[in-house]
Amino acid sequence: QQLNQSPQSMFIQEGEDVSMNCTSSSIFNTWLWYKQDPGEGPVLLVTVVTGGEVKKLKRLTFQFGDARKDSSLHITAAQPGDTGLYLCAGASYYGGSQGNLIFGKGTKLSVKP
Amino acid sequence: EAGVTQFPSHSVIEKGQTVTLRCDPISGHDNLYWYRRVMGKEIKFLLHFVKESKQDESGMPNNRFLAERTGGTYSTLKVQPAELEDSGVYFCASSQIHGSSNEQFFGPGTRLTVL
């Protein structure tokens, strides 16, 4: 199982909108998005569990593909504080047990003031 | 509520030495996971504890890695003897035993450098 995140990196100005994607050849029960700042661990942003689900978190919009093989993150009017590494992860379940996460390599976002 | 904590934050050792990493999960979280990211690669799963039992250790690279979780609280990950390719950032994560969303909360990581 492998997750592909694109783009690898993005450099934008404050106030611009930005989108990033995560795709897989496998179906996942759950997709998770994390944000990681340098020297720190990934911080959970959102979890999506239903195909076609859309979740909004202030200026961030997350979408789970209908086929459960992709997810996207859209940031409206990006701020310098949005700078960081965005990681997507997929999770599956085995016999009711919570399984491990499969991670993409991440999209590195830099927002200039 | 305290988050996941890891100790040490950094460790620099020589090839052949032993290092032990510690993780304290969020209180009440029975699931505990170890992950690792080596330079240029994605974060990869190592193993999963449910309380004190190893649920899945399919990601452990080889028998130089030993993880324990005595008493079902904190966990340790020992590397003995360390090799150059073991360098990377080791993350610990925890989650509640119930729930379908598998929300895992990560610690700050331990950066291991093997010289």
Side-chain angles (χ1 to χ4, degrees):
Chain A
Q1 291 179 314
Q2 190 174 356
L3 293 186
N4 298 303
Q5 280 193 255
S6 62
Q8 188 174 359
S9 61
M10 306 176 77
F11 298 87
I12 63 171
Q13 292 292 132
E14 180 177 1
E16 292 184 16
D17 295 349
V18 62
S19 291
M20 56 191 79
N21 299 294
C22 194
T23 60
S24 171
S25 57
S26 303
I27 295 173
F28 290 104
N29 300 106
T30 304
W31 286 72
L32 304 91
W33 283 89
Y34 290 84
K35 179 175 182 277
Q36 185 178 15
D37 292 326
E40 299 187 9
V43 175
L44 182 64
L45 296 174
V46 78
T47 305
V48 284
V49 298
T50 305
E53 181 178 5
V54 176
K55 275 193 177 179
K56 291 191 175 182
L57 191 67
K58 296 184 180 178
R59 294 177 294 99
L60 277 61
T61 301
F62 303 85
Q63 184 157 9
F64 193 9
D66 290 338
R68 295 172 172 259
K69 289 185 174 182
D70 61 278
S71 183
S72 63
L73 162 58
H74 180 81
I75 302 176
T76 304
Q79 305 289 315
D82 296 327
T83 293
L85 180 67
Y86 289 83
L87 297 163
C88 69
S92 298
Y93 297 94
Y94 305 97
S97 173
Q98 296 187 356
N100 56 287
L101 300 180
I102 307 295
F103 279 91
K105 286 188 176 182
T107 293
K108 189 173 182 181
L109 175 65
S110 298
V111 183
K112 283 189 173 182
Chain B
E1 181 182 285
V4 177
T5 57
Q6 292 187 246
F7 182 83
S9 56
H10 294 83
S11 181
V12 180
I13 62 174
E14 304 225 336
K15 174 183 172 181
Q17 290 185 323
T18 298
V19 63
T20 301
L21 314 180
R22 172 171 171 145
C23 167
D24 286 78
I26 293 172
S27 178
H29 281 192
D30 288 329
N31 287 304
L32 188 150
Y33 306 81
W34 283 98
Y35 293 86
R36 176 177 74 172
R37 178 163 59 208
V38 298
M39 192 175 295
K41 301 282 189 178
E42 67 274 21
I43 295 174
K44 285 195 172 178
F45 166 76
L46 295 178
L47 90 158
H48 170 201
F49 283 101
V50 176
K51 297 185 180 178
E52 67 275 9
S53 299
K54 290 178 184 174
Q55 179 77 12
D56 180 0
E57 51 185 331
S58 61
M60 294 287 262
N62 50 61
N63 60 10
R64 295 185 294 103
F65 289 75
L66 176 64
E68 295 180 325
R69 193 182 182 195
T70 307
T73 54
Y74 70 91
S75 174
T76 57
L77 179 64
K78 182 163 72 173
V79 185
Q80 179 183 29
E83 298 288 345
L84 299 179
E85 64 265 25
D86 300 333
S87 295
V89 182
Y90 290 76
F91 292 105
C92 175
S94 71
S95 69
Q96 293 181 325
I97 192 67
H98 299 296
S100 61
S101 63
N102 201 2
E103 292 185 336
Q104 296 184 21
F105 299 91
F106 281 74
T110 293
R111 181 174 293 278
L112 174 64
T113 302
V114 183
L115 302 176

